[in-house]
Amino acid sequence: MPADARAAASAELRRPREGRMVAGVAAGLARHLGISVTAARWGLAIAGLTGTGAVLYLWLWLTVPSADTAAPPPLVRLAPMLRDKNLRSPLLAAAGGLMLLALAAMVAATAAGAAVPWQWLIPLAALLGGLILAWSQLDRIDAGARRGPISWLRLIGAVALMVLGTALLISQGRGPSSLVAALLAGLAVLAAVALVGAPWWLRLINALGDQRAATAREAERADIAAHLHDSVLQTLALIRAQAADEASVRRLARAQERELRQWLYQDRVAPAVSLAAALKETAAEVEDAAGAEIGVVVVGDHPPMEAAAALIGATREGLLNAVRHGAPPVSLYAEIGPALAEVFIKDRGPGFDLAQVPGDRLGVRESIIGRIRRQGGQAEVVSKTGGGTEVRLRLALGVKERA
Amino acid sequence: MTAKLRVVLVDDHALFRAGSKAELGASFEIVGEAGSVEQAIAVIAQTQPDVVLLDVHLPGGGGAGGAEVASAFAGSAVKFLALSVSDAAADVVAVIRAGARGYVTKTITASELAAAVRRVAEGDAVFSPRLAGFVLDAFGAAGGNVAVADDELDSLTAREQEVMRLIARGYTYREVASELFISIKTVESHVSAVLRKLQLSNRAELTRWAARRNLL
């Protein structure tokens, strides 16, 4: 059974945010029932003509939460808290449905009656309009979005309609003076309710802020968990699989350590804008290629200049030499000042005499010394018996001299 | 040889404590272990060891980790060697300024670690290449900031810079001494002077520098 079909079969009833025409009711129904969206839309539209369909549509709009069908499985497993928990209470849903049904029945009765009671119809229409205006914002409130000016206009309009409707309902056509009195009374009650409810409302806003902060924390935790899963757990599995091969275990552990360090401390600057980052990356590449460990210390930084490529190339060659022919620990120290870059590569190998290296060997003579000297820098290889070998490179920054 | 040095291991990873114990147990007397700030303070106060191997990241206490433990024993005879997997300059500088006599990374070999513990016990400072790099960076050595007088706290003297550079380049104290034609004791005194500057300098940039390093 394909995964898609299974997912569709178990899809919860939700109004999707993507691909909705009005409120996503038809699209959600179609996904839930496993029928085509067009069929659901036509079905609802035909039912809407009879009146019951409209009520059903409104009822579903109010009660079915708007959300994308499902979060991807890893996210669900890693951060269950992230899922939308505040499903509306069924009591509220039922009340909304009943209210709309009653409204529909009343409208039907008025239409059937001989005399049209305008003094009832107009306030009821105003009340209904206000209700629809207010409830149409439900999705936006849910999403936790900030209120825009339109949203405020809708809220004010809804309140005005409700107050007007209530006032008309109470005054019942007994003249403008009683209408004004009813309006004033309504406003006074509203103000009193607002004053009494203010602390509760403020607390609600605070709680909402807390909840958002918690969600952000959860998201961060999920991010970390996902990262650990992708990197560290994979590497651990690899290490276990290759436990017999010491060299590759060491390489895996070192590469993973470096990657995790970079991710944790975020001190990663693109090599394109930082000579220090470029040198660190070079050392990392040599580590990966040779499976040896290199202690890297870089002081200062500078944007890479034209001659940087030569410096990096020579550094790479020096490090490769050190890990191939020298002995650990291999260390790379780079000091990058405002005008001068110095690079030192040291190993603890037996050392060698540069004069005795055959002339056809390009490694040290050409790739390291020649490269730096052509850029107007200084390069030397110092080897002491028993004290290891050190490659020293000095290159002026900024000014480029051609030899 | 005199009695074995008494060492307390403070690390929140029991696995790492067990490893260090196996490595150091032969040459030192491990008198206590702790896995949190509160435990560490209690164990150190009770056992009064010569050296404490102190993890920079520790749970408990006020959240400052190893630095909190070290500063709780400021002025006492107990010496601290900071041990960390962290490369974050802010962590390292914090624990050194709280009184640790040195800083090494956890990837250090057993023999080097033992040598570092002895050196700290003798009152010297232990600088790893990385810590030397931090110092050079923090005191603006790459920018040519040189102290004129020895007692100037805010910058390193030319000699101290040289020593720090060689340590950063991976030289041992002995190699530094032979490179600069000075005695090992002189190297040690230079390193201790740098440590003192790192701990006492109220160079405002030091803290800001460390914080900035983590934001880059």
Side-chain angles (χ1 to χ4, degrees), chain A residues 284-357:
Chain A
E285 282 166 16
V286 174
E287 268 190 352
D288 282 345
E293 200 168 313
I294 299 169
V296 182
V297 178
V298 181
V299 173
D301 202 356
H302 195 276
M305 63 299 176
E306 264 185 89
L311 188 66
I312 291 163
T315 303
R316 181 195 310 273
E317 207 58 42
L319 287 172
L320 279 172
N321 263 332
V323 295
R324 275 192 206 133
H325 308 300
V330 174
S331 46
L332 166 69
Y333 172 64
E335 192 172 305
I336 306 165
L340 183 75
E342 286 180 282
V343 173
F344 301 89
I345 300 147
K346 183 173 166 61
D347 70 69
R348 297 298 165 87
F352 65 95
D353 186 358
L354 191 60
Q356 299 196 345
V357 174

Side-chain angles (χ1 to χ4, degrees), chain A residues 189-205:
Chain A
V189 169
L190 216 60
V193 167
L195 274 176
V196 169
W200 178 79
W201 187 59
L202 281 175
R203 213 184 49 140
L204 202 69
I205 286 179

Side-chain angles (χ1 to χ4, degrees), chain B residues 32 41 51 53 57 64 94-95 112 150 153 162 192 210:
Chain B
I41 291 177
V51 176
L53 273 185
H57 289 280
V95 77
E112 281 175 328
D150 272 359
L153 280 177
E162 274 181 297
S192 292

Side-chain angles (χ1 to χ4, degrees), chain B residues 193-211:
Chain B
V194 173
L195 182 79
R196 200 173 59 90
K197 285 185 181 178
L198 195 56
Q199 286 171 343
L200 297 182
S201 166
N202 51 10
R203 186 185 164 99
E205 282 119 72
L206 197 60
T207 324
R208 255 191 290 137
W209 166 83

Side-chain angles (χ1 to χ4, degrees), chain A residues 261 266 335 348 384 390, chain B residues 85 165 169-171 216:
Chain A
R261 227 178 249 295
Q266 311 254 314
E335 192 172 305
R348 297 298 165 87
K384 291 175 198 152
E390 191 174 43
Chain B
V85 289
R165 274 207 188 95
R169 275 156 69 177
Y171 282 58
L216 278 176

Side-chain angles (χ1 to χ4, degrees), chain B residues 73-102:
Chain B
F73 292 92
S76 78
V78 181
K79 304 207 171 60
F80 290 89
L81 175 59
L83 198 62
S84 170
V85 289
S86 163
D87 274 354
D91 295 341
V92 178
V93 168
V95 77
I96 291 286
R97 280 176 84 92
R101 299 288 303 167

